[in-house]
Amino acid sequence: MISKVLIANRGEIALRIIRACRELGIRSVAVYSDADARAPHVRAADEAVNIGPPPSSQSYLLGDAIIAAAKEYGADAIHPGYGFLSEREWFARAVRDAGLIWIGPPAEVIAAMGSKTAARTLAVEHGVPVVPGTTEALRDADAAREVARQYGYPVLLKAAAGGGGKGMRVVRNESELESSLDAARREAKNAFGDDAVYVEKYIEGPRHVEIQILADMHGNVLSLGERECSVQRRHQKMVEEAPSIAVSAELRKRMGETAVRAARAAGYVNAGTCEFLLDRDGEFYFLEMNTRLQVEHPVTELVTGIDLVQWQLRIASGEKLPFVQEGIVPRGWAIECRITSEDTANGFLPSTGHIDYLHLPSGPGVRWDGGIEVGSEVGLHYDPMLAKLIVWAPTRELAIERMHRALLELTIEGVETSRDFHLRLMEDEDFRSGAIEIQWLERKLPELIAVRPPADALRAAVIAAALFADRDRKRGVPSATSSQKKPDASTDRADGGWKHIARLEGLR
Ligand code: ADP
């Protein structure tokens, strides 16, 4: 039924959707800002439309211009990806009103789940356990004091319209309450144009475990199992896995049934995610529902064999889900690392520049969902996530080794990236043992970002240095220390080779 899709997004997710379209024989239309005129997603699509200057408020967030482009280019559907317009109720509605197919849940569901307080109310009404707290926005500091006393410190102030960890403040005691409330409100107002803030009990040491669901238009709602997303910095995910080491088959079933119940209660259609906190006692609490494709969807795809983006398109075309719940069992282990253009050793400062060298990992079980190539310009207009590196292996242990190997193969030059940080993470004993929870990374961070080449890299570098020195000696090339002579061509080559190996092995 769908023959041409406009993708209202950029970067890796635009490419991911274009690939799914092509495999289904659907044509694709990309949109791009002036900053992205030469971006890979523009070339990958069958057609592409310029929608404005670099700032997203003047391009990727211009819903009306995007809908006009879809009509002009004869697209019959719009896929929003994640971020940008993906969870804007008005946009989903405008797409539908324009006679186009919206690849996502109905606008009413986005509205119902868009407010955390409304989603909590719906969850409570349908017997879905939520984190203890209020379902209504706080009137003032006095009201905040009262509920905080009721639940006991620490508490978490949260923006009702929240997303991306914005408008959230942990409050450890009453003296911090008023100023934190003001700060959360201000941040919420700035980010979402809505300063409603409510209170949740702050849970110490839980995991973030979320359930992927798929729902068709015929009343079938399925759980595709969990993702473990506890490795977070500032409430933002950095590494995700499927399945979770903390989830048994029995717990998976219970969490899956709960997520399906929440989705049914909301009248959900298409792909969505129920986020939960899982505490140390194995109790889980509903956090929110994300009414779109998630960044971390590939780990679920790799362990279930179900292509989520293709199913988004098929569901939107009216197809029935052919799977039965009992048949959806995770196979093996998948891990995803978000490769960002951030200087991790320098407070994760966004790094800008041109990609001038790129070597991508490959080999068994490796998937690269990227949005960059040599020549790409990395600026400050958009999210710093450049790509996702995803691996699959039969067990968690092997998946960690495989990710480590793939990260060693990855070289990105021109901007600082999180690559080395992820290498150290894969070597970390806590991570390897699975002893992770949402506050773990913040505690561990100083150790992980300390400038320390990964153990393997150091070994490889020493071997490489010895090999090159040996070769040079055999060729009679004077060493840097034995002669002050200007190095000849062969010394240059040796130096280049050494640098290249050092780079490949993570010593940049
Ligand atoms: P956002 O929509 O802004 O991402 P979420 O409600 O999804 O906000 O929460 C983001 C992250 O913050 C969670 O993954 C978790 O790490 C942490 N968090 C949220 N609520 C709580 C809570 N009540 N107690 C402890 N941590 C929480």
Side-chain angles (χ1 to χ4, degrees):
M1 203 170 99
I2 294 175
S3 62
K4 197 192 260 193
V5 173
L6 180 140
I7 296 124
N9 217 301
R10 64 180 299 281
E12 71 87 18
I13 198 59
L15 277 165
R16 168 74 188 91
I17 298 163
I18 291 165
R19 286 177 170 140
C21 286
R22 187 148 292 147
E23 286 175 16
L24 289 175
I26 296 172
R27 293 180 62 78
S28 55
V29 183
V31 294
Y32 63 95
S33 71
D34 295 343
D36 280 338
R38 282 183 296 170
H41 80 276
V42 177
R43 287 198 314 278
D46 294 308
E47 291 164 277
V49 197
N50 179 293
I51 43 159
S56 39
S57 60
Q58 296 170 45
S59 51
Y60 295 105
L61 288 173
L62 288 182
D64 293 339
I66 289 171
I67 292 171
K71 299 219 95 166
E72 190 188 332
Y73 280 74
D76 37 33
I78 292 184
H79 195 310
Y82 53 70
F84 293 130
L85 295 164
S86 61
E87 289 179 290
R88 307 283 170 103
E89 173 211 357
W90 65 266
F91 184 59
R93 205 180 290 277
V95 168
R96 190 171 64 192
D97 291 349
L100 301 168
I101 295 172
W102 168 251
I103 300 168
E108 294 72 20
V109 177
I110 299 178
M113 291 297 175
S115 151
K116 287 189 202 281
T117 42
R120 279 165 66 80
T121 307
L122 190 78
V124 171
E125 283 168 9
H126 290 82
V128 172
V130 299
V131 181
T134 60
T135 46
E136 268 166 33
L138 295 164
R139 265 176 294 110
D140 50 31
D142 284 341
R145 250 187 299 277
E146 202 182 307
V147 287
R149 269 186 209 155
Q150 187 187 335
Y151 293 107
Y153 289 92
V155 294
L156 186 61
L157 300 174
K158 268 190 174 181
K166 293 204 185 81
M168 257 164 69
R169 283 286 184 291
V170 183
V171 185
R172 300 224 166 249
N173 56 58
E174 199 165 293
S175 65
E176 298 170 0
L177 189 62
E178 195 157 352
S179 59
S180 298
L181 180 63
D182 289 344
R185 278 207 166 134
R186 252 196 324 273
E187 202 171 300
K189 181 84 186 163
N190 279 340
F192 317 110
D194 174 2
D195 70 354
V197 166
Y198 71 102
V199 175
E200 276 180 20
K201 172 86 190 140
Y202 183 68
I203 301 185
E204 305 270 5
R207 289 169 185 263
H208 173 119
V209 177
E210 58 187 31
I211 300 283
Q212 175 69 52
I213 67 122
L214 268 186
D216 66 19
M217 294 174 184
H218 311 280
N220 301 302
V221 187
L222 293 172
S223 157
L224 270 61
E226 80 281 7
R227 288 186 288 260
E228 161 78 68
C229 311
S230 298
V231 178
Q232 298 185 357
R233 177 179 170 268
R234 302 201 170 159
H235 309 300
Q236 294 291 305
K237 300 161 189 165
M238 297 198 64
V239 173
E240 301 96 346
E241 308 176 38
S244 164
I245 199 169
V247 175
S248 64
E250 184 272 329
L251 182 56
R252 179 172 304 125
K253 185 161 182 285
R254 270 197 297 135
M255 292 184 82
E257 284 168 358
T258 306
V260 165
R261 194 156 73 238
R264 281 194 193 282
Y268 209 89
V269 177
N270 217 289
T273 296
C274 273
E275 297 190 330
F276 296 98
L277 289 181
L278 176 65
D279 74 13
R280 290 166 179 160
D281 303 323
E283 296 295 325
F284 59 89
Y285 307 94
F286 173 82
L287 270 184
E288 64 167 348
M289 183 152 194
N290 287 320
T291 53
R292 55 170 165 83
L293 187 66
Q294 301 263 102
V295 172
E296 58 273 24
H297 75 275
V299 291
T300 300
E301 295 186 323
L302 294 183
V303 296
T304 61
I306 294 173
D307 187 309
L308 281 163
V309 182
Q310 288 196 6
W311 275 103
Q312 285 197 292
L313 293 158
R314 288 168 167 232
I315 287 170
S317 302
E319 263 191 60
K320 251 188 180 158
L321 287 169
F323 316 109
V324 287
Q325 187 62 68
E326 295 69 39
I328 303 174
V329 179
R331 192 182 139 264
W333 215 277
I335 304 179
E336 171 180 284
C337 288
R338 298 188 184 198
I339 309 296
T340 59
S341 53
E342 289 173 316
D343 186 354
T344 56
N346 207 350
F348 285 76
L349 216 65
S351 171
T352 59
H354 276 92
I355 306 289
D356 47 44
Y357 184 87
L358 184 62
H359 182 270
L360 297 185
S362 53
V366 175
R367 169 171 163 181
W368 174 263
D369 278 21
I372 50 161
E373 59 190 3
V374 172
S376 290
E377 188 173 338
V378 180
L380 287 173
H381 289 294
Y382 313 113
D383 191 273
M385 198 180 76
L386 303 175
K388 298 165 335 200
L389 178 58
I390 313 117
V391 301
W392 180 92
T395 65
R396 185 172 189 270
E397 240 178 352
L398 293 170
I400 292 172
E401 289 308 334
R402 183 161 278 173
M403 178 60 87
H404 190 259
R405 184 272 288 173
L407 284 162
L408 283 177
E409 287 179 26
L410 172 65
T411 310
I412 303 175
E413 300 224 323
V415 291
E416 294 296 330
T417 75
S418 57
R419 179 260 198 192
D420 292 4
F421 166 82
H422 282 112
L423 263 176
R424 281 175 216 129
L425 199 59
M426 292 304 129
E427 291 166 3
D428 183 83
E429 280 314 314
D430 293 348
F431 179 79
R432 294 173 79 92
S433 71
I436 45 175
E437 36 83 2
I438 59 172
Q439 289 121 15
W440 170 77
L441 184 62
E442 298 278 356
R443 287 196 305 273
K444 194 80 189 185
L445 218 48
E447 202 178 308
L448 286 174
I449 58 181
V451 182
R452 172 179 62 87
D456 275 6
L458 207 55
R459 202 176 62 228
V462 170
I463 295 168
L467 285 173
F468 278 110
D470 184 53
R471 192 188 67 178
D472 289 350
R473 205 171 41 247
K474 283 184 184 138
R475 286 183 183 169
V477 177
S479 77
T481 46
S482 68
S483 164
Q484 292 305 311
K485 239 171 61 187
K486 190 176 178 299
D488 63 13
S490 60
T491 356
D492 272 358
R493 258 205 316 280
D495 181 47
W498 142 253
K499 266 197 199 145
H500 185 65
I501 287 197
R503 194 171 58 201
L504 278 180
E505 300 294 342
L507 262 187
R508 4 174 346 220

